[in-house]
Amino acid sequence: MWNRSACNDVMKEILTRHTPVKIKERIYRENVALPFDGFRIKIGTKGVAEIHYRNARARKYAEDALKEMETIGAEAGVYADHPDFMLRGLVEGFYGTPYSWETRREAVEFLARHKMNAYFSAPKDDLYHREKWREPYPKETLEQIAALNALAEKKLVDFYFCLSPGKDFRFSDGRDFAALCEKFAAVRAEGIKNFALFMDDIDPKLSEEDARLYGSAGRAHAALIDRCVKNVPSERPWLFCPTEYMQNFDTEYRKDFREAAETDFIVFWTGYNTVAEAVGAEDGERVKSSFSRRLALWDNYPVNDFEPKRRLYLGAVKNRSPELKETHVGYVANPMPNWEASKFALISQALYCWDGARYSPEAAERTACAELAPGAEEAALSLVRRNGSGLFGENYRLRERFAKEDLAFLDGYYEEQEKAVGTLERNLDKKTSAALGELFRYMLAEAKLYREARAGAIREETIKEMSDCAYRTQDQSLLEYVKEKYGVPAELEEERRIWWKTEEGEDA
């Protein structure tokens, strides 16, 4: 029997099922009545598989599902599946060194394998995306953009070209809008079909001339996205990231924006904080109402371009309501500049946005570890569990153990850590091992420091070795213990603290 697992390996609905059969014939039928990217497979007792699909992607998903069914023993019956969100993907939207073109190609391949369908190109430190948005891309860069888009089309992933002109856009100067249109037109000429406008992380204060014309930033931004929608054709709906992208309550900016906006587009927001501890169903309802537009969640996880920057977030995404599909049409993840390390969390996000009701973070972590560390799954799980996000749970799991000096537990903990690193160094592929190398070095030094503390013979060289590593583990309780008990200077970095605002806009 083919049953859906907690990790979404099979389909949402098994409508009927009978006896095992061998597939002898496949009949394909396009069916626009199905959900976006959805499919339905009917397998007859004589081995005829009738595949109904919404679009080309859905046909590919159906073929993959049928192949999996045949591997484990197909049964006569009717099966159906579709994603929770129409738009599923990632946004290269972090601060720091942008991805190389090779990494971007790998990312497109990764998205396609995990039933994600969108790639948003918006690296904050691409000068031509943000600082020099008026200037045309160099010819070689346009060629690379076109090549990436061609690969995305081949893999059935929608490539979105994005611009962020908000730092110095002059709303009352027609020359700036003309420059913006020219920039979009240049990439449209290279075959790019989908577009987005971002006005995040800027000072919304208008110049005197802009204020006289529009009155407020919300109205000026609404007018700008309206003009883009009307003047720059996009195959998929335009997406817009507003300046006030993280509040889960209404604001004057949003009131002005929704009153002024005339066209149809999708609005990004990030949850109630830049990096949200949780995003609930009520949040979605309030924010959809405040913009009066369809929503897409820009999930700033596993991105690590904030303080502290010495973390790799490998754990599964948590605390995203399965009911967000009722108010959102899209979900995109903002990865880390460290692409290989980002894959652990991204696999969990792909599973969540396909089927949130059946999503399990623990099962998703096992799925990610099985894929990324074949033959070393348990060691990878040990790594992942030491490198989650403090936003999703307790930051200092070891603090109580050190306070009680529970040496039996701590001995086992650090012994497991050393063994896990050794196993992973032997089993991971070269790219993943290299991407995690600094974290591995820290974890081995951390275990060494624990043994030194256990023996009462701490070496400052060990602490310096840990300090010199580019990354550190989530739990800093060992360094805290060493500092308090032995008075040895240790560099402590608090995990990112949570802050948010209430519906009334006051600090919580």
Side-chain angles (χ1 to χ4, degrees):
M1 195 68 65
W2 193 40
N3 295 319
R4 186 178 184 87
S5 75
C7 279
N8 309 32
D9 290 332
V10 297
M11 289 178 273
K12 290 180 179 173
E13 300 177 62
I14 301 179
L15 305 178
T16 63
R17 54 193 177 203
H18 302 290
T19 56
V21 297
K22 182 177 181 180
I23 305 300
K24 300 176 181 178
E25 182 182 359
R26 301 185 185 199
I27 300 172
Y28 293 92
R29 303 186 190 281
E30 187 174 2
N31 186 347
V32 296
L34 290 170
F36 193 80
D37 284 357
F39 62 88
R40 186 173 180 268
I41 302 173
K42 179 180 180 181
I43 303 176
T45 55
K46 295 182 179 181
V48 176
E50 193 173 307
I51 302 169
H52 292 251
Y53 59 93
R54 170 64 182 266
N55 49 23
R57 259 194 306 266
R59 175 169 173 160
K60 174 64 166 57
Y61 298 158
E63 289 171 344
D64 290 344
L66 193 55
K67 186 183 300 183
E68 183 183 345
M69 293 168 68
E70 289 181 292
T71 300
I72 61 177
E75 294 183 355
V78 181
Y79 308 83
D81 206 2
H82 61 86
D84 283 356
F85 298 97
M86 176 183 74
L87 177 71
R88 313 172 303 283
L90 69 79
V91 52
E92 184 188 343
F94 50 78
Y95 291 91
T97 303
Y99 286 152
S100 67
W101 292 106
E102 179 185 0
T103 295
R104 288 167 178 156
R105 289 189 290 271
E106 291 177 2
V108 167
E109 299 266 7
F110 177 91
L111 292 173
R113 287 197 305 274
H114 293 88
K115 296 192 291 190
M116 304 281 262
N117 66 6
Y119 187 107
F120 289 83
S121 177
K124 289 290 193 293
D125 290 335
D126 170 2
L127 292 179
Y128 294 96
H129 166 75
R130 189 174 173 87
E131 299 289 341
K132 298 182 178 180
W133 65 267
R134 294 181 183 85
E135 298 184 21
Y137 276 100
K139 181 176 182 295
E140 313 82 70
T141 305
L142 278 177
E143 291 173 352
Q144 292 280 17
I145 292 172
L148 184 62
N149 179 66
L151 174 64
E153 287 188 342
K154 180 180 178 181
K155 295 297 178 179
L156 304 177
V157 173
D158 294 331
F159 178 82
Y160 287 79
F161 176 79
C162 316
L163 285 177
S164 296
K167 291 184 73 174
D168 62 355
F169 192 88
R170 299 166 299 198
F171 297 92
S172 55
D173 190 335
R175 291 172 296 180
D176 265 11
F177 183 69
L180 191 65
C181 286
E182 286 176 11
K183 193 77 168 270
F184 284 123
V187 295
R188 285 192 75 245
E190 298 293 334
I192 284 70
K193 301 174 182 176
N194 306 298
F195 301 97
L197 179 72
F198 296 160
M199 302 294 280
D200 55 320
D201 297 353
I202 62 170
D203 182 351
K205 184 178 180 180
L206 299 178
S207 68
E208 291 184 9
E209 190 172 355
D210 289 344
R212 281 196 300 270
L213 184 61
Y214 290 102
S216 70
R219 293 184 180 278
H221 294 179
L224 180 57
I225 181 61
D226 278 345
R227 293 180 75 184
C228 286
V229 173
K230 293 174 182 177
N231 288 276
V232 182
S234 182
E235 186 173 85
R236 303 292 186 199
W238 269 84
L239 283 99
F240 176 72
C241 186
T243 302
E244 295 190 359
Y245 55 77
M246 65 181 179
Q247 295 86 343
N248 63 352
F249 50 86
D250 205 5
T251 67
E252 285 300 311
Y253 172 93
R254 292 181 178 182
K255 178 177 180 293
D256 290 344
F257 183 88
R258 69 173 177 267
E259 289 179 352
E262 300 174 349
T263 58
D264 180 41
F265 50 86
I266 298 167
V267 173
F268 273 127
W269 81 301
T270 64
Y272 65 79
N273 193 1
T274 307
V275 185
E277 177 192 23
V279 187
E282 291 184 0
D283 292 327
E285 291 168 1
R286 286 195 295 266
V287 175
K288 184 178 181 181
S289 176
S290 72
F291 280 110
S292 192
R293 288 294 184 279
R294 293 176 292 171
L295 293 180
L297 183 67
W298 173 320
D299 201 341
N300 274 322
Y301 185 78
V303 71
N304 62 346
D305 60 356
F306 46 78
E307 297 298 335
K309 295 184 178 181
R310 295 176 59 195
R311 290 296 320 282
L312 291 179
Y313 298 106
L314 308 181
V317 70
K318 298 179 181 178
N319 306 336
R320 275 57 178 145
S321 169
E323 300 305 316
L324 291 183
K325 64 183 180 182
E326 303 299 330
T327 51
H328 291 65
V329 296
Y331 176 100
V332 301
N334 192 8
M336 297 179 279
N338 188 321
W339 166 246
E340 299 297 332
S342 296
K343 292 178 182 178
F344 288 90
L346 290 175
I347 288 172
S348 74
Q349 291 166 305
L351 294 169
Y352 163 75
C353 69
W354 185 273
D355 190 356
R358 291 177 175 84
Y359 175 72
S360 159
E362 294 76 18
E365 287 176 347
R366 287 195 170 274
T367 297
C369 290
E371 176 180 331
L372 300 174
E377 290 91 339
E378 292 303 318
L381 274 173
S382 181
L383 172 74
V384 164
R385 289 167 181 163
R386 285 162 167 76
N387 292 281
S389 172
L391 285 175
F392 297 149
E394 176 57 49
N395 290 348
Y396 303 104
R397 293 180 294 130
L398 298 180
R399 180 170 288 168
E400 184 178 349
R401 301 288 186 173
F402 278 108
K404 295 179 179 179
E405 295 197 329
D406 185 351
L407 300 180
F409 175 87
L410 293 167
D411 285 350
Y413 182 89
Y414 286 105
E415 181 180 356
E416 177 191 327
Q417 182 160 302
E418 285 181 309
K419 287 182 178 178
V421 171
T423 299
L424 292 170
E425 287 181 327
R426 292 190 300 272
N427 286 273
L428 290 177
D429 64 75
K430 289 182 180 180
K431 280 188 175 181
T432 307
S433 184
L436 299 174
E438 282 290 290
L439 180 59
F440 289 162
R441 190 160 73 92
Y442 183 96
M443 292 172 71
L444 292 175
E446 186 180 36
K448 181 166 62 174
L449 179 64
Y450 168 71
R451 289 197 303 273
E452 292 172 0
R454 181 90 153 77
I458 294 169
R459 299 170 65 247
E460 290 189 18
E461 291 85 350
T462 305
I463 294 178
K464 183 178 185 308
E465 182 182 356
M466 294 168 65
S467 178
D468 289 343
C469 293
Y471 304 117
R472 65 171 178 82
T473 51
Q474 177 183 344
D475 199 314
Q476 296 287 281
S477 298
L478 172 59
L479 287 177
E480 187 177 38
Y481 174 77
V482 164
K483 189 173 184 178
E484 291 179 357
K485 181 163 184 174
Y486 296 101
V488 178
E491 178 187 5
L492 288 168
E493 293 186 72
E494 289 284 335
E495 183 75 356
R496 180 181 173 91
R497 294 196 177 277
I498 302 168
W499 70 269
W500 63 91
K501 295 185 177 180
T502 65
E503 292 180 48
E504 290 74 31
E506 298 174 353
D507 291 340

